[in-house]
Amino acid sequence: MKTLLTGGAGYIGSHTAVAMLEAGHEVAVVDNYYNSSPEAIRRVEQITGKSVTLYEADAADKEKMREILKAEMPDCIIHFAGLKAVGESVAKPTEYYRNNIDTTLTLLEVMKELGLTNFVFSSSATVYGEDNVPPFLETMPKGACTNPYGWTKWMQEQILRDAEFASNDTLSVVLLRYFNPVGAHESGMIGEDPQGIPNNLMPYISQVAVGRRDHLTVFGDDYDTPDGTCRRDYIHVMDLAEGHVRAAEYAVSHKGTEVFNLGTGNPYSVLDMVNAFSKACGHQVKYEIGPRRAGDVQDSWANADKAKAVLHWEAKRGIDEICRDAWKWQSNNPQGYGE
């Protein structure tokens, strides 16, 4: 199977490229390197001993995407490209709506022109909003999102559902609702390397541990949880990547729209992660308690039974492997790919 990954040089995309190649599939990547690096793909090739066709382009550029898709004619497109930080989306809503929605519309239009029919979408558990109580099930109604990032995923899911409905059973859409991807490839060669100040917990912890930042700010310790900090379903990025392999294989043999949660079903608090990472790196990660952050919800974790039953996938790696691999990546690459 030939797959094309938009945003494939990014964090989740590069790990999925490894998993796809190791499963015997061909991979092409489109990326504009807004928050990623071509070095990640060079290392993917080094890890796997296989080649990746790499294009530098914006997935919202219709002419470029028409040219690339016509050249590749992939069996399945996995769409990662997009801005992804909850806090930043609150500060920059128009950029998030423009970027994230435009890329999906462009891909659907070009796919229709070329007769391409299989689409796997990188969605998010944020679409469950605050109206549902975890563990979240795919059958729950989508809720009112707490931030623009979540709303972009909510809207893109609806766009994809509507496009599939209008396709008269020619389009296959798989919506993957991620929980909290963390960790790195066990080799330590690829991992999460956000540009600027990290917006997500694990890369910030990692950068504090390696000495790039002085301390972590924990946003709120007054939530109704055992230690007062938010709880999340942290999933190892390689478990998530392997879920994409199963989803793409499913998409090419299926028509219609299907939704799958990709998570572990086991929530950990922010302080649980800080303590586990401190154990992995051998010293205490310095942190301070700050006020709550706009857009954060208290609890979020998955029921992933459907993915297990239908995709024959489940998360296998736990918090110790997550922290071990994240620390190996960061300690081997203290400045990320920019060294």
Side-chain angles (χ1 to χ4, degrees):
M1 178 174 64
K2 180 184 283 190
T3 56
L4 183 134
L5 316 184
T6 69
Y11 174 46
I12 301 171
S14 59
H15 289 79
T16 299
V18 169
M20 294 297 298
L21 290 166
E22 290 182 338
H25 302 303
E26 294 180 62
V27 172
V29 163
V30 176
D31 207 295
N32 65 359
Y33 308 130
Y34 174 79
N35 194 26
S36 59
S37 170
E39 173 65 15
I41 299 303
R42 190 190 71 78
R43 296 189 187 188
V44 166
E45 294 178 322
Q46 194 174 345
I47 289 167
T48 62
K50 298 179 180 180
S51 62
V52 174
T53 304
L54 181 59
Y55 298 93
E56 182 175 358
D58 189 323
D61 185 331
K62 194 170 184 179
E63 288 187 14
K64 278 279 193 182
M65 292 311 300
R66 182 184 292 114
E67 177 186 321
I68 291 166
L69 290 175
K70 190 178 287 186
E72 293 294 325
M73 294 301 288
D75 298 300
C76 186
I77 293 171
I78 305 180
H79 182 30
F80 296 107
L83 303 176
K84 65 174 186 176
V86 167
E88 184 183 61
S89 78
V90 176
K92 300 178 177 180
T94 53
E95 289 92 331
Y96 270 69
Y97 286 115
R98 170 68 72 185
N99 181 83
N100 290 5
I101 293 171
D102 272 5
T103 56
T104 294
L105 291 172
T106 296
L107 288 169
L108 285 170
E109 288 168 352
V110 177
M111 285 176 68
K112 187 174 181 180
E113 287 178 23
L114 300 178
L116 300 171
T117 59
N118 303 311
F119 196 103
V120 174
F121 178 56
S122 168
S123 191
S124 168
T126 56
V127 302
Y128 290 110
E130 292 186 297
D131 303 326
N132 294 300
V133 177
F136 296 135
L137 283 162
E138 295 90 345
T139 52
M140 288 177 172
K142 291 194 292 184
C145 298
T146 59
N147 54 77
Y149 165 75
W151 279 117
T152 68
K153 295 298 187 182
W154 196 105
M155 293 172 186
Q156 287 174 94
E157 282 199 8
Q158 191 61 46
I159 289 165
L160 287 161
R161 285 181 182 276
D162 291 343
E164 182 276 313
F165 181 79
S167 73
N168 296 316
D169 292 326
T170 59
L171 197 59
S172 173
V173 171
V174 177
L175 307 175
L176 297 179
R177 292 178 180 166
Y178 307 167
F179 281 71
N180 289 72
V182 286
H185 189 266
E186 63 182 10
S187 66
M189 292 177 64
I190 59 173
E192 189 167 11
D193 182 29
Q195 296 181 10
I197 299 172
N199 284 285
N200 294 323
L201 177 66
M202 184 59 84
Y204 211 111
I205 291 176
S206 301
Q207 290 186 15
V208 172
V210 84
R212 280 177 65 179
R213 304 195 181 276
D214 178 67
H215 69 278
L216 168 75
T217 297
V218 176
F219 296 112
D221 66 346
D222 57 348
Y223 289 96
D224 186 19
T225 62
D227 63 18
T229 63
C230 292
R231 292 183 293 185
R232 295 290 182 268
D233 189 336
Y234 294 99
I235 178 173
H236 195 293
V237 67
M238 284 308 300
D239 280 328
L240 190 68
E242 289 160 8
H244 285 78
V245 176
R246 298 294 176 86
E249 292 169 345
Y250 178 77
V252 299
S253 61
H254 155 273
K255 297 300 174 189
T257 301
E258 287 287 351
V259 183
F260 297 99
N261 288 334
L262 295 185
T264 68
N266 298 309
Y268 290 99
S269 74
V270 173
L271 291 182
D272 286 336
M273 296 303 289
V274 170
N275 293 331
F277 202 95
S278 298
K279 179 182 175 183
C281 72
H283 61 272
Q284 180 62 46
V285 174
K286 184 179 177 183
Y287 69 90
E288 296 178 357
I289 303 298
R292 293 188 183 192
R293 181 174 62 177
D296 280 343
V297 297
Q298 174 178 292
D299 287 321
S300 176
W301 66 88
N303 178 310
D305 290 348
K306 183 179 177 183
K308 183 176 181 180
V310 178
L311 300 181
H312 308 294
W313 170 92
E314 62 181 323
K316 300 172 183 174
R317 301 161 178 90
I319 190 171
D320 292 336
E321 291 90 346
I322 284 167
C323 293
R324 177 200 68 198
D325 295 342
W327 176 238
K328 185 172 185 181
W329 151 253
Q330 194 69 77
S331 58
N332 287 349
N333 304 270
Q335 301 301 319
Y337 294 117
E339 297 186 277

